[in-house]
């Protein structure tokens, strides 16, 4: 079943922020806000939950550290022990200071790459995905607030007009 949404267009981010606060104060649900650039504080004004991607980044970094330790222990101690600079390879602990840069780099490598993959999967951004942008102007100089219509449609359109919307469209989604 198609739902009816209203697209309200704004040409200034400050006006958009005030409109978002007014719409949220009247208990309307904002589906999405499309912006040509990040607007500071918009996520809080919309009432979005904080992201948990930092937690996953920490877990991926820990995974990278574990992989680095296991890999270096196997390569340098178990599989092919070498006497480098007169330092015997009897145990991993004796040679760990030499491995610290490798552990750091693997931690950063795993955290960065797996975090990007997680972000793309979570955002449902995969190759050849059709863009969900409702209007090409939102990539240049306009902001679009998409609000699902429940109940008083006229009152919502009046509120948006009073909030500084330069254009308001009803769309079947």
């Amino acid at each position: 079943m198609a739902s009816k949404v209203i697209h309200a267009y704004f040409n200034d981010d400050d006006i958009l922020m005030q409109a978002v606060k007014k719409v949220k104060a009247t208990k309307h649900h904002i589906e999405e806000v499309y912006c040509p650039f990040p607007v500071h504080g918009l996520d809080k004004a919309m009432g979005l939950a904080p992201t948990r991607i930092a937690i996953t980044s920490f877990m991926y970094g820990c995974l990278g550290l574990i992989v680095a330790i296991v890999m270096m222990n196997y390569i340098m101690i178990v599989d092919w022990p070498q006497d480098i600079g007169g330092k015997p390879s009897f145990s991993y602990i004796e040679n760990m200071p030499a491995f610290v840069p490798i552990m750091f780099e693997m931690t950063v490598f795993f955290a960065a790459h797996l975090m990007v993959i997680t972000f793309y999967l979570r955002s449902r951004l995969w190759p050849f995905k059709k863009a969900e942008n409702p209007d090409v102007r939102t990539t240049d100089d306009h902001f679009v607030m998409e609000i699902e219509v429940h109940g008083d449609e006229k009152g919502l359109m009046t509120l948006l007009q009073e909030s500084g919307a330069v254009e308001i469209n009803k769309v079947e989604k």
Side-chain angles (χ1 to χ4, degrees):
M1 180 177 152
S3 63
K4 210 188 292 189
V5 294
I6 293 178
H7 286 170
Y9 293 79
F10 298 89
N11 57 7
D12 188 349
D13 57 335
D14 293 328
I15 296 172
L16 171 74
M17 283 293 290
Q18 295 304 319
V20 166
K21 290 175 184 174
K22 286 181 184 177
V23 169
K24 289 303 280 183
T26 58
K27 306 292 186 210
H28 289 286
H29 177 67
I30 300 173
E31 284 290 318
E32 188 65 68
V33 176
Y34 299 93
C35 303
F37 54 84
V39 178
H40 180 69
L42 185 60
D43 53 344
K44 286 184 180 67
M46 288 178 63
L48 298 177
T51 181
R52 294 184 306 254
I53 199 159
I55 297 168
T56 60
S57 176
F58 176 74
M59 291 189 303
Y60 294 150
C62 290
L63 176 67
L65 181 64
I66 291 168
V67 167
I69 290 170
V70 170
M71 176 189 73
M72 288 182 300
N73 185 49
Y74 177 74
I75 292 171
M76 297 300 287
I77 307 301
V78 177
D79 186 40
W80 195 316
Q82 298 179 30
D83 187 359
I84 300 171
K87 298 176 185 170
S89 299
F90 295 130
S91 73
Y92 181 79
I93 298 298
E94 290 175 352
N95 295 318
M96 192 177 74
F99 300 149
V100 168
I102 298 167
M103 292 187 298
F104 173 75
E105 291 299 330
M106 289 293 284
T107 301
V108 171
F109 179 83
F110 270 68
H113 286 80
L114 292 175
M115 188 171 57
V116 167
I117 292 168
T118 300
F119 173 75
Y120 284 147
L121 291 174
R122 180 70 179 101
S123 301
R124 297 187 183 107
L125 294 172
W126 32 77
F128 311 111
K129 182 178 188 278
K130 187 179 179 298
E132 296 176 4
N133 199 359
D135 193 334
V136 295
R137 293 179 290 176
T138 61
T139 62
D140 184 29
D141 62 348
H142 277 72
F143 304 87
V144 175
M145 186 190 320
E146 184 177 275
I147 308 159
E148 199 168 334
V149 178
H150 293 295
D152 187 19
E153 183 179 329
K154 293 264 190 215
L156 178 58
M157 292 184 82
T158 305
L159 174 69
L160 291 169
Q161 195 70 40
E162 291 170 356
S163 298
V166 293
E167 182 181 334
I168 300 172
N169 297 330
K170 284 187 272 186
V171 180
E172 291 289 329
K173 194 170 183 184

